[in-house]
Amino acid sequence: MLDSSRQRMAGGQDQKWQKDAADQNFDYMFKILIIGNSSVGKTSFLFRYADDSFTSAFVSTVGIDFKVKTVFRQDKRVKLQIWDTAGQERYRTITTAYYRGAMGFILMYDVTNEESFNSVQDWVTQIKTYSWDNAQVILVGNKCDMEDERVVSFERGKQLADQLGLEFFETSAKENINVKSVFERLVDIICDKMSESLDSDPTLVNAPKGTRLTDNPMPTNSGCQC
Amino acid sequence: MIPIGLLSMTKHTVPTDNNRKVVTQWQIIGAWNPTEPLFEVLNSETPRDTRVYFTIAVDLVVQGIQEPIRFVFEAKAKIVTTSAADRFWINIPTLSKGKPFHEQFHVQLRERVNSEPNSRFDVVSCFSATQLSHQRHKLALRLRHDGSQQPSLGDRRDSHRSSVTSLPTPSNDESEDNDEPLPSGTGVVSKECTQTELDGWSELLIKWHQNLTLRPKQVQTLVKRGIPEALRGEVWQLLAGCQDEVTLMEQYRALINRESPYEKYIERDINRTFPAHEFFKESGSLGQDSLFKLCKAYSNYDTEIGYCQGLSFLIASLLLHMPEEQAFCVLVKIMNEYGLRNLFRNGFEELQLKFYQLERAMDSVLPELYSHFADL
């Protein structure tokens, strides 16, 4: 049921174990979830960010999947563990189990799909119910390249975001519009929140130690200017 | 091209896997005389005793279709010397004795509107299963040559995603650390099968068809070695026990005509199910159409489960091996009798239980791995 294909647990395990030494090389690890209705473009968004690739031939995500990307911020290596979730409603019983411990959420709708926009409130409730109180959320209206088919205006998106107290971006995974900005902004607001709550709870900054199978450091300099 | 006349065509009515239903099979025998002057060139110029390829084209005129349909086979052949006439004979071992030559064709027809009775359909395409797999292979090769990505891991990943694909060649992927997605459905299924294996299967199938209620003893051993690609459709149906399911197949035809509340969800997944596979990649193709119908029929059949993401992959795998009605039947059996359905029920309650069991088992058998995952 779980799409473990990208989790690379099968095969080459010995090599992966050896690689681990290098993988310890990060200062923080943030767990981020991408959620939203089915086929709004979550997987495409993640692949655009992590691999800078786009194809219209993605398979529907069954269950949950993740990718890892390491970015630099203020001389710190921040490892992002980004979870991609199945959008179909009934998978929520599976995906919400992964909300725990998530520091950031990208809540996505499709600007050409009214229903996906109408579900935003519902997704916010899910976050409130299942995640840590300090989790940061960005509302994202994807597929903004499809102007002709747009049914949700930028203004409506912005208005809803303001109402819910969320940051807002319109993006296109296909045309690579604002994809990187969303992640950078999310990392920033997580960092801000972290330093805010550092005094009260220092355990939030733990970079977990121990061998890791799935780490996949990419020497990316994503030019975070903060 | 050397024309060969049609020598005989006979009609057989044979029972299929279920006893009550029969299908009509046509046996067509074409023969040629190797001493025919037309073959002279072939006989004198083809290298002797080496393997060559022989293309056989059969043009069939089918009632309702105006143009004859051409079925093309590529058969391995050997030109052998026969002492008697000091001539070379073309011997296609696969057609005479030994390993039977098996080819499956996918013919897509389009119904014409307001047409004459003898030209009701147009042929949209006609592919042999071999051609399709060659195309798939080429596609996979092309993808591997595109860009700088390493060749192997993608395929392996792909084979995880799609149960019907397999890794073409094992290779070393140490340097691979790029998660570049490879389109799902580009994997290659090996059609290789040894003679002994085929003999084993053929013996087994004869026995099995004689008594469908009794599963022959050898099944387990043979299945463990892998069911040859060409036989999967038949063997899966036999294993699932679809032989007595005429009612289910009839029910299918009624179910596809009923509206389903899940249609829009199914539609969203049709383009996202093995999107690179030859059979499913075109919008509006036969493959996508069948996939949609089957998903819809099941959602109507089992209203508690309806349509659930993930089902389309299972259904597509079945459709690559058998027609819709049979695929429906196998699907229903897998869901109900093999317990898959329970995983989808009550918010995946049982699936969660299985996850828990897996976790506990990992904790006790592979504690190091377990604590690693727990740390993530």
Side-chain angles (χ1 to χ4, degrees):
Chain A
M1 183 69 50
L2 285 195
D3 184 353
S4 61
S5 55
R6 274 179 249 150
Q7 298 177 15
R8 316 147 128 253
M9 289 184 291
Q13 286 192 352
D14 292 344
Q15 292 156 25
K16 294 284 182 285
W17 283 104
Q18 282 158 20
K19 257 182 161 179
D20 288 336
D23 292 337
Q24 295 306 307
N25 230 347
F26 59 85
D27 303 293
Y28 305 130
M29 185 170 77
F30 293 166
K31 179 176 163 186
I32 291 168
L33 256 80
I34 309 178
I35 58 172
N37 277 16
S38 181
S39 82
V40 297
K42 298 178 291 294
T43 305
S44 298
F45 193 80
L46 176 56
F47 271 79
R48 171 59 82 190
Y49 179 63
D51 296 343
D52 199 19
S53 65
F54 181 84
T55 158
S56 49
F58 278 119
V59 295
S60 34
T61 308
V62 178
I64 194 149
D65 200 351
F66 79 87
K67 272 179 159 298
V68 173
K69 184 166 170 115
T70 308
V71 295
F72 285 94
R73 184 193 181 273
Q74 285 184 331
D75 300 328
K76 300 275 189 220
R77 276 185 73 140
V78 180
K79 194 166 105 180
L80 303 179
Q81 188 188 71
I82 312 160
W83 293 79
D84 180 20
T85 59
Q88 196 183 5
E89 192 166 342
R90 74 176 72 178
Y91 276 99
R92 286 188 194 175
T93 55
I94 304 278
T95 54
T96 49
Y98 292 79
Y99 283 31
R100 197 167 47 93
M103 294 159 132
F105 285 84
I106 292 171
L107 200 181
M108 188 175 290
Y109 67 89
D110 169 1
V111 300
T112 71
N113 181 327
E114 183 77 38
E115 193 188 336
S116 71
F117 182 69
N118 293 338
S119 306
V120 167
Q121 177 65 63
D122 202 21
W123 286 109
V124 170
T125 314
Q126 296 283 315
I127 297 172
K128 289 221 171 86
T129 317
Y130 296 101
S131 86
W132 173 53
D133 287 344
N134 282 331
Q136 301 301 304
V137 186
I138 291 186
L139 181 65
V140 166
N142 193 32
K143 307 195 190 176
C144 72
D145 57 291
M146 294 168 78
E147 269 312 324
D148 293 347
E149 288 162 61
R150 177 195 280 275
V151 292
V152 183
S153 68
F154 179 88
E155 289 68 31
R156 282 176 68 205
K158 179 79 181 102
Q159 202 185 1
L160 180 64
D162 290 345
Q163 217 177 307
L164 296 166
L166 311 175
E167 301 237 2
F168 175 65
F169 283 86
E170 273 200 351
T171 65
S172 163
K174 188 178 178 191
E175 300 297 330
N176 200 4
I177 301 167
N178 277 343
V179 176
K180 204 165 146 190
S181 319
V182 168
F183 281 98
E184 283 174 359
R185 185 67 197 137
L186 187 57
V187 169
D188 282 356
I189 56 178
I190 294 171
C191 286
D192 292 349
K193 194 76 200 175
M194 205 168 63
S195 42
E196 225 175 80
S197 36
L198 209 75
D199 296 333
S200 55
D201 188 359
T203 56
L204 297 175
V205 214
N206 62 336
K209 296 289 176 233
T211 44
R212 317 187 75 80
L213 267 180
T214 47
D215 296 354
N216 184 16
M218 289 180 212
T220 320
N221 192 341
S222 63
C224 199
Q225 280 110 21
C226 37
Chain B
M1 169 174 284
I2 300 162
I4 302 160
L6 176 67
L7 280 191
S8 73
M9 182 153 134
T10 43
K11 186 179 172 180
H12 299 272
T13 316
V14 291
T16 52
D17 354 321
N18 61 66
N19 292 319
R20 274 166 278 174
K21 208 181 151 199
V22 289
V23 293
T24 308
Q25 267 187 5
W26 295 90
Q27 189 178 26
I28 300 163
I29 299 170
W32 56 85
N33 176 2
T35 60
E36 176 76 36
L38 275 165
F39 282 109
E40 198 56 51
V41 184
L42 209 62
N43 275 333
S44 52
E45 289 182 6
T46 318
R48 293 167 211 179
D49 288 325
T50 58
R51 190 142 322 269
V52 290
Y53 281 87
F54 199 61
T55 306
I56 306 162
V58 178
D59 287 337
L60 283 186
V61 180
V62 183
Q63 200 174 19
I65 306 167
Q66 199 169 23
E67 296 294 316
I69 309 177
R70 171 160 293 184
F71 297 92
V72 181
F73 308 80
E74 291 278 350
K76 277 181 187 164
K78 203 174 185 180
I79 310 288
V80 291
T81 316
T82 54
S83 53
D86 197 21
R87 276 183 188 279
F88 304 111
W89 291 63
I90 302 157
N91 178 22
I92 304 172
T94 48
L95 289 183
S96 48
K97 53 189 174 187
K99 193 166 116 184
F101 179 73
H102 187 279
E103 186 61 283
Q104 199 179 4
F105 288 89
H106 299 265
V107 181
Q108 196 180 351
L109 300 175
R110 187 185 295 120
E111 193 163 7
R112 288 184 174 191
V113 273
N114 308 326
S115 57
E116 304 270 309
N118 57 354
S119 59
R120 276 183 51 213
F121 298 98
D122 283 325
V123 179
V124 180
S125 66
C126 175
F127 285 113
S128 70
T130 314
Q131 269 173 301
L132 287 180
S133 96
H134 283 174
Q135 278 174 18
R136 273 203 301 263
H137 196 62
K138 263 192 287 186
L139 186 66
L141 280 177
R142 200 166 64 228
L143 280 161
R144 270 182 237 141
H145 292 306
D146 278 352
S148 57
Q149 53 173 297
Q150 294 294 313
S152 59
L153 193 67
D155 278 67
R156 177 173 308 169
R157 212 180 0 254
D158 213 61
S159 70
H160 279 271
R161 296 192 151 225
S162 45
S163 55
V164 293
T165 55
S166 59
L167 183 67
T169 44
S171 59
N172 195 347
D173 51 42
E174 250 176 306
S175 56
E176 166 80 48
D177 58 0
N178 175 4
D179 260 357
E180 195 73 23
L182 263 200
S184 168
T186 48
V188 177
V189 180
S190 165
K191 292 199 167 36
E192 292 300 310
C193 185
T194 65
Q195 187 59 49
T196 349
E197 239 178 291
L198 270 183
D199 289 345
W201 278 104
S202 125
E203 196 182 303
L204 172 118
L205 287 173
I206 292 168
K207 209 196 266 181
W208 208 343
H209 278 292
Q210 278 161 1
N211 183 359
L212 290 164
T213 51
L214 190 73
R215 192 179 278 189
K217 277 201 294 279
Q218 313 95 296
V219 172
Q220 216 177 9
T221 337
L222 280 174
V223 168
K224 274 185 184 157
R225 271 185 250 147
I227 307 169
E229 212 264 345
L231 299 176
R232 282 179 202 169
E234 184 179 359
V235 176
W236 291 353
Q237 286 179 62
L238 286 166
L239 282 172
C242 292
Q243 58 272 15
D244 295 319
E245 292 300 343
V246 196
T247 9
L248 208 51
M249 290 196 211
E250 272 159 17
Q251 218 177 333
Y252 173 74
R253 280 167 227 132
L255 289 167
I256 50 175
N257 292 320
R258 229 190 276 160
E259 257 180 49
S260 159
Y262 291 94
E263 276 172 45
K264 68 177 177 190
Y265 303 104
I266 298 169
E267 252 157 35
R268 256 179 228 154
D269 279 349
I270 296 299
N271 282 317
R272 304 195 290 167
T273 306
F274 301 146
H277 195 289
E278 200 60 41
F279 192 56
F280 297 109
K281 69 177 186 184
E282 298 291 339
S283 289
S285 64
L286 179 73
Q288 288 204 358
D289 185 50
S290 303
L291 184 58
F292 178 78
K293 274 155 66 186
L294 217 66
C295 291
K296 179 174 140 183
Y298 189 81
S299 73
N300 282 332
Y301 174 80
D302 184 345
T303 47
E304 187 191 346
I305 305 293
Y307 171 74
C308 184
Q309 279 191 327
L311 275 180
S312 66
F313 292 94
L314 170 64
I315 292 172
S317 307
L318 296 174
L319 276 174
L320 287 174
H321 295 278
M322 60 193 89
E324 281 168 40
E325 285 92 342
Q326 278 85 346
F328 179 70
C329 208
V330 177
L331 174 70
V332 169
K333 298 278 176 178
I334 292 175
M335 292 293 275
N336 289 302
E337 282 161 38
Y338 287 77
L340 199 68
R341 180 177 186 277
N342 290 336
L343 295 185
F344 291 98
R345 291 180 63 226
N346 301 329
F348 298 104
E349 212 171 66
E350 191 168 309
L351 182 66
Q352 305 267 25
L353 173 71
K354 296 253 187 312
F355 285 160
Y356 178 76
Q357 290 166 337
L358 178 70
E359 219 172 78
R360 299 307 355 133
M362 209 196 306
D363 188 16
S364 64
V365 183
L366 302 162
E368 213 180 335
L369 183 66
Y370 173 76
S371 63
H372 167 74
F373 283 136
D375 267 2
L376 282 176

